[in-house]
Amino acid sequence: MPGDSTVLTKDMEAVAGFAIEHLSETCHRSPAIEVERLLAKQFGLGRRQGRAVIRHLVRTGELIYANEHGSSFLEPSFHRPVRIGARIVLVPADLPYRTCGQEVAVRIAPGASFGSGRHPTTRLALRGLEEAAGKISKAGCPPDSVVLDIGSGSGVLVIAAVKLGLGRGVGIDTDPCARWEARQNIQLNRLSGKIRVGDQPTDQTNPTGRFNFVAANLRTPTLMRLVPTICDWSTPSGRLVLSGIRTEEMDGLLNRYRAHGFHELWVAGEKGWVAIVLQRQQME
């Protein structure tokens, strides 16, 4: 069809970019027919043209069909390198990728554990890590600094933190399957000598259990319950990266951490979720 050819050449970059951005930012799952209608409204495409665009994006690996409860939805594909922030790129285990400049490639194998980068809370946590690591670097964080990832899942956060420049990492998770998958990903990223995973934060190399940097991508009730524990585990000037927070929950959570001596350095949101970076205020 002549119209298809026109769309798939001259206007493909704009149409494809719009479709991917919509699917990345929308707060609900979108069936293909909804995307077709959106493309028709935005670009004046016919239904066959819209279908041709979607087929092209699926064929080139930009989009995938996801099935849930018998219904099919379109969503961005993560079986390709995906840039999360200015530096972090998530890369599937089996794909070649050469980093450029200040990029860090974090390789994550498919698994059952949470933390593949598909969920907004993971992406927000990674962006928060990048922001906090940059501030730590500028402040002259010691090379022996240690990051703790609470509820580490796939290990993506602690891997990213160490690749961003923190000296060592500890991931803790109560799920033995998650711990196994995290260790596989740590080995995949060649960081076995710098990161350990277990169910407790202390060991012979860090007997005090105090950390310069604590990351936790957990739901708000858990983050609330962990306030005293996180305070105990943080150094006097420690930084936190917290994700898994609904927008309407943020003020209550911030107030709780402020009451324990933390103030916010950075806040960002995506699809109704929020992540925050906090720093402990040193006492005079």
Side-chain angles (χ1 to χ4, degrees):
M1 179 178 179
D4 288 355
S5 177
T6 301
V7 169
L8 292 178
T9 55
K10 181 180 177 180
D11 298 327
M12 170 52 70
E13 185 174 348
V15 176
F18 177 84
I20 294 169
E21 183 178 2
H22 166 75
L23 291 167
S24 298
E25 295 182 354
T26 184
C27 293
H28 68 278
R29 309 195 78 174
S30 301
I33 186 65
E34 178 183 303
V35 178
E36 291 172 16
R37 290 170 180 163
L38 191 63
L39 295 179
K41 180 179 180 181
Q42 186 73 18
F43 296 95
L45 304 186
R47 189 170 182 181
R48 291 181 64 183
Q49 291 174 310
R51 286 179 177 176
V53 171
I54 291 170
R55 283 198 301 268
H56 174 78
L57 293 175
V58 172
R59 186 171 61 251
T60 56
E62 294 289 339
L63 300 180
I64 61 169
Y65 283 99
N67 294 293
E68 186 174 286
H69 306 306
S71 298
S72 179
F73 304 92
L74 281 169
E75 61 182 35
S77 171
F78 279 79
H79 192 69
R80 61 186 177 89
V82 177
R83 180 172 296 281
I84 300 299
R87 296 183 61 194
I88 298 173
V89 181
L90 292 184
V91 183
D94 57 346
L95 292 185
Y97 186 81
R98 179 176 294 180
T99 57
C100 179
Q102 296 297 308
E103 285 182 347
V104 296
V106 178
R107 294 187 174 275
I108 299 295
S113 298
F114 189 80
S116 67
R118 291 182 181 275
H119 199 274
T121 60
T122 304
R123 297 193 293 271
L124 286 166
L126 287 167
R127 288 169 55 196
L129 280 171
E130 189 173 289
E131 178 73 14
K135 291 183 182 298
I136 285 178
S137 177
K138 290 177 184 177
C141 186
D144 61 347
S145 58
V146 189
V147 55
L148 172 67
D149 180 8
I150 304 173
S152 53
S154 69
V156 63
L157 299 186
V158 68
I159 292 168
V162 172
K163 287 203 165 190
L164 285 167
L166 284 110
R168 293 180 293 118
V170 176
I172 58 173
D173 204 298
T174 59
D175 182 356
C177 178
R179 295 198 297 269
W180 183 87
E181 289 187 3
R183 291 182 185 116
Q184 298 303 304
N185 287 321
I186 290 163
Q187 185 175 1
L188 180 65
N189 286 274
R190 301 180 180 180
L191 291 174
S192 298
K194 291 190 172 184
I195 301 174
R196 73 168 184 84
V197 175
D199 58 2
Q200 297 294 327
T202 57
D203 68 356
Q204 295 87 345
T205 63
N206 188 30
T208 65
R210 303 293 292 276
F211 299 87
N212 310 86
F213 197 146
V214 177
N217 181 14
L218 302 165
R219 287 293 288 116
T220 298
T222 304
L223 294 174
M224 288 281 202
R225 178 174 53 81
L226 286 175
V227 170
T229 302
I230 288 176
C231 288
D232 287 343
W233 287 344
S234 298
T235 59
S237 59
R239 287 175 171 84
L240 312 180
V241 175
L242 306 179
S243 189
I245 309 155
R246 283 291 188 184
T247 304
E248 63 272 16
E249 300 167 339
M250 183 181 70
D251 288 343
L253 186 72
L254 277 175
N255 288 335
R256 184 76 183 276
Y257 277 86
R258 286 169 182 153
H260 284 76
F262 289 90
H263 66 281
E264 61 268 29
L265 300 176
W266 175 90
V267 178
E270 181 184 341
K271 294 186 177 182
W273 297 95
V274 176
I276 55 179
V277 175
L278 304 169
Q279 182 174 14
R280 203 170 201 172
Q281 297 173 317
Q282 295 193 59
M283 302 299 291
E284 296 293 340

